Amino acid sequence: MTTIFAKIVSGELPSKMVYQDELVTAFRDINPIAPTHILIVSNKIIPTVNDLTEDDEKITGRMMTVAKKLAEEEGIAESGYRLIINCNGHGGQEVFHLHMHLVGGRPLGPMLYHQK
Ligand code: AMP
């Protein structure tokens, strides 16, 4: 089974790629919600956070350090940013291939809204 992100990782599909190494790939979100909106994805297909094992800790650790590096490059490290990983239905996950959103470049407001 493949995913749209696996095709971006392999170069089969185009993207605005900003970083790639042997574990993760980062590219700009096609539908950005802020001036900086980058997705940092695992090169290997891991559908959700629920599917992670201890063997994947190098990948998840790399996702964090790449997020930090890209935030510096984007000039948003000091102003601040948000890292988001959605999981399954209630988390609002749309693409079932592990990815972290790096979002910043404007005030992002409260993390979640109270339900009315
Ligand atoms: P999530 O809801 O966490 O699964 O987020 C999926 C994200 O992938 C959304 O923000 C989409 O805008 C983004 N997305 C979907 N297709 C592409 C694509 N081809 N290139 C870049 N971003 C994409």
Side-chain angles (χ1 to χ4, degrees), residues 4-5 8 13-15 27-31 37 39 86 92-96 99 101:
I4 193 164
F5 290 171
I8 288 173
L13 280 181
S15 73
F27 50 90
R28 296 193 189 278
D29 196 290
I30 204 166
N31 190 20
H37 188 172
L39 301 176
N86 296 320
Q93 186 174 4
E94 292 173 357
V95 179
F96 287 82
H99 56 283
H101 298 250

Side-chain angles (χ1 to χ4, degrees), residues 63-110:
M63 288 168 82
M64 294 291 292
T65 51
V66 168
K68 174 202 156 176
K69 169 185 143 61
L70 292 175
E72 283 167 358
E73 286 179 11
E74 293 285 307
I76 59 171
E78 290 309 314
S79 54
Y81 53 92
R82 190 167 291 158
L83 302 176
I84 304 164
I85 301 179
N86 296 320
C87 182
N88 278 343
H90 284 190
Q93 186 174 4
E94 292 173 357
V95 179
F96 287 82
H97 182 146
L98 186 70
H99 56 283
M100 176 185 281
H101 298 250
L102 164 62
V103 183
R106 67 167 173 82
L108 296 169

